[in-house]
Amino acid sequence: MAKERMFDFDAFWQEAEPQEADRPKVRVFGEDVYLPASIPARIILRAMRAAQEGEDAETPLSGEEVYKSACALYGAERIDAWLDKGLSLSQLADLVNQGIRLYASGQIDDSGNQTAPNRGAKD
């Protein structure tokens, strides 16, 4: 009887996964959310496809691409819940851009914003 050859990726990935405290974290609508341990492949593959097609790095993503990237980072159920709370397309893009920056910088800045956001002039 031949011995079955198998590699258990589930166990391998679980052992390689950093502890939750070491993962990027954001706060949205008062909820602290841990991002995946590494940047999702969907985001990297999209960037590689864009580069092959000669797109400039500043070429904006379509709304659908922003949504798919946000779902890859935060989970579709969570993104849909935030959309139900009034999350705008611009804010959705902010979630993607800032999430990617957390991976790119290699460090997490948990000090918050240094200044309050500009809300515009009051009449």
Side-chain angles (χ1 to χ4, degrees):
M1 186 164 171
K3 181 178 176 184
E4 181 181 20
R5 297 186 330 177
M6 183 188 85
F7 186 85
D8 186 346
F9 279 101
D10 293 335
F12 175 74
W13 289 329
Q14 187 174 14
E15 289 173 12
E17 182 98 3
Q19 298 297 316
E20 191 170 85
D22 295 331
R23 292 170 39 198
K25 181 172 78 169
V26 298
R27 179 171 294 140
V28 181
F29 291 113
E31 177 184 5
D32 288 351
V33 178
Y34 286 94
L35 277 65
S38 60
I39 192 164
R42 174 185 296 277
I43 293 171
I44 300 299
L45 294 172
R46 165 46 178 108
M48 290 171 59
R49 229 180 357 264
Q52 284 179 333
E53 294 171 4
E55 288 183 21
D56 184 274
E58 299 301 315
T59 301
L61 298 175
S62 70
E64 181 180 354
E65 290 171 324
V66 171
Y67 176 77
K68 286 180 178 180
S69 294
C71 288
L73 285 168
Y74 302 96
E77 286 182 23
R78 182 172 283 125
I79 291 297
D80 289 342
W82 291 340
L83 289 168
D84 289 343
K85 289 182 178 184
L87 186 73
S88 70
L89 184 58
S90 174
Q91 291 170 324
L92 188 63
D94 289 341
L95 288 172
V96 172
N97 291 331
Q98 293 300 329
I100 291 170
R101 282 190 185 106
L102 288 174
Y103 292 107
S105 71
Q107 45 185 279
I108 308 303
D109 179 6
D110 61 359
S111 62
N113 298 337
Q114 298 302 315
T115 59
N118 183 358
R119 299 285 183 197
K122 302 232 181 202
D123 293 322

